[in-house]
Structures are given as C-alpha cells and as structure tokens.
Amino acid sequence: MAYPKVTIVGAGNVGANAALLLVMKELADVALIDVADGLAQGKALDIMHMRSNEKFGPTILGTCDYADTAGSDIVVVTAGVPRKPGMTREDLLSINSSIVRSVLEGALPASPDALYLFVTNPLDVMTNLAYQLAGLPKQRLFGMGGVLDTARFTHAIAALTGAQPEQIDALVIGAHGEAMVPLPRLSTVNGVPLPQLLSDPQIASAVQDTIQGGAAVVELLKTGSAFYAPASSIALMVAELLRPSGRVLSVCARLEGEYGIDGVYMCVPAILGAAGIERIVELQLDAAELDQLRCSAETIKEQLAASMR
Ligand code: APR
C-alpha cells in the first residue's frame, strides 16, 4: 500500500516520538532527518525493528540528507535547541531562528509543494519567522501549539470533574506560552459549559495548570521539555491534514483581520485538510476574551520585534 510521505526534521524527543506515532497509526511513511550523524538513522532502524511486532505498514527512513525527504506531502519541523541554564530568551531566539532558516533552505527545494507544520519553540515567533522566510501561502504554513494547550486544559478539566477526556470539548487559543487564552466559557463537559459545573476558583486552577503544564514537565524532568503530548499533538494535526474529519483544532495560523488582529501568527480555531488550513473559525468571543486574545497578539509581536533586533 502507498502511504503519504511526511518528513520530520529533528530526530530528538519530539520528532522521534511523532515519527513513531505516525507509522503506528498507519498515517504515513516518514523521513526522519537530523543534523546529528546517526541519530535519525539509529532511531529509524530501532522503530523499523518494531514493525513485525506491531504490524504497521508504513516505513521510517532516517537520514542527514534532504534529498531523502524529496516529494513530501507534509514537513514537520521540530529541530531546535531547548533553553539551557544561563541562556537568555534572546539567545534561544537567535539560535533557533538560524536553525529554522537552515531547515527551510534544505526542506523547501526538496518539497516545494508540501504543507509545513512548525513545532520549534518559541512557537509563535518561529512560525511567524518561517512564514517571512519561506514565501509560502499562509494556508500551507502553520504551527502546533493550541492542540497541545487544549490537551493540557482537557487533562486539567478531567482531573477536576472526573469526566473522561472524550466527554470534554475544551479550547485554548492565543500565544503558545504564558499569554495563552484558555476559554472556559466555550469549553464543555457533556455539552455543559464549564462555568455551570465548576466554581470560579476551580476554573482558575484548571487555567493555571494549563498555562504551567509545560513548565511543570520541565521541572520534573530536569533534563528537557515535554515530548509525548507534543508528539501526540503533531500526530493529531497530521491525521486531520491527511484524513480530514472537519474537526475544529486550535492551530497557529496567520491572522489577516480575523478577530480584529492583523499580520501575526497565533493559535485560533481552524479546520485542517488537504490544502492545509481550510478555514479559520471566528468564534463569538466576549469583550474580556477578545481583549485577552489581542494582548496575546501584542506579546507575540513584541517577541517577534525582539527577534529581529
Ligand atoms: N537540522 C536538523 N535537526 C536539527 C538542527 C538542524 N539545523 N538543529 C538541531 N537539530 C536537532 C538536534 O540534533 C536534536 O536531535 O533537533 C533535535 C531536537 O531534539 P531535542 O533536543 O530532543 O528537543 P525536543 O524535546 O525534541 O524539542 C524540539 O520542539 O517542543 C519543541 O521546545 C521544543 O523547540 C523544541 C523542539
């Protein structure tokens, strides 16, 4: 059987786990590429050794050469370095900006027609930067952040209500960071809005756990940042791109007037499909929610300006 082809750039924790999920879910053949010689090849071989046990059809090829990524339907970019002690945010921005630049130089000529999904942090800034560098239509270049934040919000709601995740329909939009905008009013458990189920302090605690979710994992791991839930969020977005169900996901998309925000990438509800972002969904936000979203946009614009200095 012929499968679509997905390239994952960066064979670290997030990239390798995303690759594993894509083949195990039978979604795509994967080209896993990294600058570190042998890393992608070793992980790809290890996963291929699982194939007879797990009985999945797709294959993974590990490589350091963009020629092996040619003709991909989707390119997922997880290459980057995490923030280390003593490193400023600007240091991280400048290192990861040059990584994103070199990834595009390698990936774009090999897969000029692909959809590009960015994961490298700081996500909003990196996706904005990639758009400026790549010259691709906005529909074909977007980022992963809101799906992960929504999954963390869902986890916090499940913990407070005892509901199963499939009974919960939650949503987090805005920046992928401290300025994110969880939307309790528009989040439901069995169709009932959160404010009718939980007290204000309970909602505030779920929101806080969501905003601090990534930091909580970093604090526990001590040696890196979250990767299982990020990898799963990549797989969910790739699944919607390859086999669209019409599900609304929080996607880091370029806004050009939606929500009264112009010229910046940030997470908003969107429907994915073969063309990439098929539609941005404009929810009826109340004044406070809209205000939060616009503050989120300002935060991203400030970070973007700082990254250009
Ligand atoms: N091209 C390809 N791969 C690169 C490049 C490059 N120019 N530069 C770095 N890499 C690779 C590294 O060699 C490493 O294997 O990117 C990989 C990153 O892996 P990890 O350090 O394990 O980081 P990970 O936890 O996977 O996170 C990756 O996703 O969620 C975000 O904040 C996270 O920005 C980070 C990214």
Side-chain angles (χ1 to χ4, degrees):
M1 175 174 172
Y3 293 95
K5 180 171 179 178
V6 174
T7 283
I8 299 183
V9 187
N13 281 331
V14 175
N17 278 288
L20 176 61
L21 286 171
L22 294 190
V23 292
M24 288 203 57
K25 287 172 176 282
E26 305 266 341
L27 283 167
D29 287 327
V30 175
L32 184 61
I33 181 164
D34 201 289
V35 278
D37 186 30
L39 184 72
Q41 293 89 329
K43 290 189 178 180
L45 181 60
D46 194 13
I47 293 173
M48 288 300 281
H49 287 160
M50 294 171 63
R51 201 158 166 241
S52 58
N53 289 346
E54 299 295 334
K55 300 181 175 53
F56 53 80
T59 57
I60 301 195
L61 172 78
T63 185
C64 286
D65 182 354
Y66 278 99
D68 292 323
T69 70
S72 294
D73 299 286
I74 302 172
V75 175
V76 182
V77 181
T78 76
V81 296
R83 194 162 151 186
K84 300 198 178 81
M87 199 189 263
T88 65
R89 195 180 174 81
E90 281 68 33
D91 293 337
L92 181 73
L93 270 176
S94 115
I95 295 170
N96 282 354
S97 300
S98 48
I99 290 177
V100 163
R101 195 180 298 266
S102 83
V103 166
L104 284 171
E105 279 165 11
L108 269 176
S111 300
D113 301 322
L115 306 173
Y116 283 77
L117 172 59
F118 282 80
V119 181
T120 304
N121 273 318
L123 186 270
D124 310 286
V125 180
M126 290 303 134
T127 313
N128 275 288
L129 179 73
Y131 174 76
Q132 288 168 7
L133 295 171
L136 291 174
K138 61 182 178 175
Q139 286 83 2
R140 284 180 43 210
L141 189 153
F142 38 90
M144 188 288 288
V147 171
L148 174 59
D149 296 329
T150 297
R152 289 178 173 152
F153 194 30
T154 303
H155 171 74
I157 295 167
L160 277 172
T161 59
Q164 291 300 310
E166 62 265 26
Q167 296 171 297
I168 300 169
D169 194 4
L171 188 59
V172 180
I173 58 176
H176 179 56
E178 297 266 319
M180 73 177 69
V181 184
L183 292 172
R185 189 180 64 87
L186 299 176
S187 298
T188 61
V189 178
N190 289 320
V192 182
L194 228 46
Q196 292 174 31
L197 284 172
L198 297 174
S199 66
D200 288 349
Q202 282 176 313
I203 290 177
S205 123
V207 164
Q208 201 49 31
D209 285 352
T210 305
I211 295 171
Q212 294 304 325
V217 175
V218 170
E219 201 173 315
L220 289 163
L221 292 180
K222 296 179 188 74
T223 54
S225 50
F227 50 93
Y228 291 119
S232 151
S233 303
I234 292 169
L236 182 58
M237 291 180 77
V238 169
E240 280 303 311
L241 293 167
L242 295 175
R243 299 176 194 166
S245 74
R247 181 172 171 179
V248 174
L249 297 176
S250 181
V251 176
C252 183
R254 182 172 161 88
L255 299 185
E256 290 180 353
E258 296 90 347
Y259 295 100
I261 296 168
D262 197 36
V264 68
Y265 268 87
M266 64 190 303
C267 295
V268 287
I271 295 173
L272 299 178
I277 296 181
E278 300 280 358
R279 186 158 79 86
I280 289 175
V281 178
E282 283 197 75
L283 299 171
Q284 292 293 319
L285 298 183
D286 66 24
E289 292 159 347
L290 212 45
D291 206 37
Q292 268 185 287
L293 193 63
R294 289 177 183 159
C295 284
S296 217
E298 287 313 310
T299 307
I300 296 168
K301 283 183 177 172
E302 279 162 25
Q303 289 173 358
L304 200 55
S307 77
M308 299 294 174
R309 277 185 216 127

